[in-house]
Amino acid sequence: MIVNTGEDALYFTAPIATGDIESVTLSEELDSGPIAPVFFSGAFTSICTDEMCGSQDQLASFEDVGATLYGISRDTPFALNEFRSQNDLEFGLVSDLNQEILDDHGVSNDFTDTEVNGVAKRSVFIVDGDGRITYKWSGDNPGVEPDYDAAVRAGAAVENRIVF
């Protein structure tokens, strides 16, 4: 399945690394405002580290427009906690160990030239408080990071706030 802009988000409950290991349910988080799930291939890889650190750099901008940022990968919650710690990440990292969230959102990446299959494509979604996807970016080239400014602007549009 592939979800697109204008469609309902696919709800999930999964472990989240926040320093502790807890559980997060997307539908319950929507009461706080828009959600910005940012998918990444794997903790401790160079480009994914850059992507998550870039997301951290934009965290205040997401918070300014009322959006909650989450990273999502297939790593274990234990590895994600260590990754958060080593990179001073202040947002939660969701563990999709069974690849269900990735598959449901159509962002699984099967690299034909390697044995690495089923990791996340670098992708960003904005989900509004009603559970509708208002923004989607998904990259086919694993070396290209998302346009964080565009995602923040999309989050601002959900909250009817102006971002320059």
Side-chain angles (χ1 to χ4, degrees), residues 84-97:
R84 281 183 83 246
S85 175
Q86 286 187 23
N87 292 288
D88 298 319
L89 302 178
E90 299 172 19
F91 54 92
L93 299 178
V94 177
S95 173
D96 184 23
L97 201 54

Side-chain angles (χ1 to χ4, degrees), residues 95-138:
S95 173
D96 184 23
L97 201 54
N98 296 324
Q99 194 179 332
E100 293 171 3
I101 302 168
L102 275 67
D103 287 347
D104 286 349
H105 286 80
V107 297
S108 293
N109 202 351
D110 293 326
F111 296 106
T112 56
D113 57 341
T114 71
E115 296 298 317
V116 180
N117 292 315
V119 297
K121 287 183 181 181
R122 238 171 275 301
S123 305
V124 178
F125 292 80
I126 299 293
V127 181
D128 70 14
D130 294 326
R132 189 162 307 277
I133 297 170
T134 61
Y135 174 84
K136 174 185 176 182
W137 176 90
S138 187

